[in-house]
Amino acid sequence: MSQATTFQVQDGQLLGARQIPSPNFNQRPEDTEIQLVVIHNISLPPSQFGGGYIEQFFQNQLDWSKHPYFQTIEGMQVSTHLLILRTGEVLQFVNFNDRAWHAGRSTYLAQKECNDYSIGIELEGSDDLPFEAAQYAVLTEVVACLQQAYPKIQQHIAGHSDIAPGRKTDPGPFFEWNAFRQQLHHFKNK
Ligand SMILES: [Zn+2]
């Protein structure tokens, strides 16, 4: 691959992403290779965009009193490696070398604890609204970049609902898997 991309991985950081460190991470088990990308959606409050609440949530700085929904997630300590906002801006909360807390109880191809060996990507979105074209465009570039940096990922791109079925529904019915995979294929072969 020779095309110039906006993003690059260096020492576990995604250059081109805004760095917003989250305290919610720990070490991956020793000798764990990154081999899976997990795609999620999140919006706070649900189906409302902007406002900066997701960022505050992943930084343990969300004011739980600001919205009734926030009280249902009060005290939760979670994170993701990357968040792609509706505008296509990418934020990084956890270094890829570290284990972010995004998947919970999960299994992929008979391997449990997906947090150990995956990279989590949250799209600002919900199960009941389409995602933005800018988000697909950036997700495509970011995943291509991650596949280059972590070759074991290859085709291993799953939704949260795939690795935690019955428990999680995201990225939801509006995430266009076929279009995304085609876009990724074209991007890598252009
Ligand atoms: Zn999720």
Side-chain angles (χ1 to χ4, degrees):
M1 282 199 299
S2 58
Q3 84 277 6
T5 61
T6 320
F7 300 101
Q8 205 185 326
V9 175
Q10 197 175 78
D11 301 326
Q13 278 204 350
L14 185 69
L15 306 183
R18 180 150 58 97
Q19 300 293 321
I20 303 186
S22 166
N24 303 328
F25 69 91
N26 55 4
Q27 289 197 318
R28 295 184 187 276
E30 225 172 298
D31 299 324
T32 303
E33 268 194 276
I34 293 166
Q35 49 197 291
L36 171 68
V37 165
V38 180
I39 296 176
H40 306 255
N41 78 46
I42 185 170
S43 46
L44 290 176
S47 306
Q48 293 182 37
F49 306 134
Y53 298 121
I54 305 168
E55 293 91 314
Q56 294 166 17
F57 181 48
F58 288 148
Q59 291 191 294
N60 301 343
Q61 288 172 3
L62 183 61
D63 179 351
W64 313 110
S65 70
K66 279 221 166 143
H67 190 277
Y69 179 77
F70 296 170
Q71 280 147 40
T72 70
I73 56 170
E74 182 168 353
M76 274 183 71
Q77 296 191 335
V78 292
S79 62
T80 183
H81 291 98
L82 302 177
L83 168 66
I84 301 177
L85 298 177
R86 303 296 288 182
T87 56
E89 188 185 6
V90 186
L91 313 183
Q92 182 167 19
F93 292 87
V94 175
N95 188 292
F96 299 131
N97 297 330
D98 292 322
R99 182 179 180 278
W101 301 346
H102 58 96
R105 188 160 36 83
S106 51
T107 308
Y108 180 76
L109 299 180
Q111 270 194 87
K112 288 188 196 285
E113 283 295 324
C114 295
N115 282 342
D116 289 350
Y117 55 88
S118 70
I119 287 173
I121 302 180
E122 295 273 1
L123 300 173
E124 185 181 20
S126 69
D127 282 8
D128 50 15
L129 289 167
F131 295 90
E132 299 287 348
Q135 292 180 297
Y136 285 105
V138 165
L139 178 66
T140 298
E141 277 197 53
V142 166
V143 169
C145 175
L146 292 174
Q147 287 174 321
Q148 214 171 10
Y150 307 105
K152 285 220 160 166
I153 292 172
Q154 292 187 61
Q155 78 277 26
H156 300 304
I157 304 164
H160 200 184
S161 53
D162 299 317
I163 62 165
R167 195 173 68 79
K168 293 290 175 180
T169 58
D170 63 311
F174 281 93
F175 185 76
E176 295 175 30
W177 280 104
N178 287 338
F180 164 63
R181 287 185 194 280
Q182 273 179 24
Q183 212 172 328
L184 183 60
H185 181 78
H186 287 140
F187 180 81
K188 288 163 70 176
N189 290 287
K190 79 182 177 192

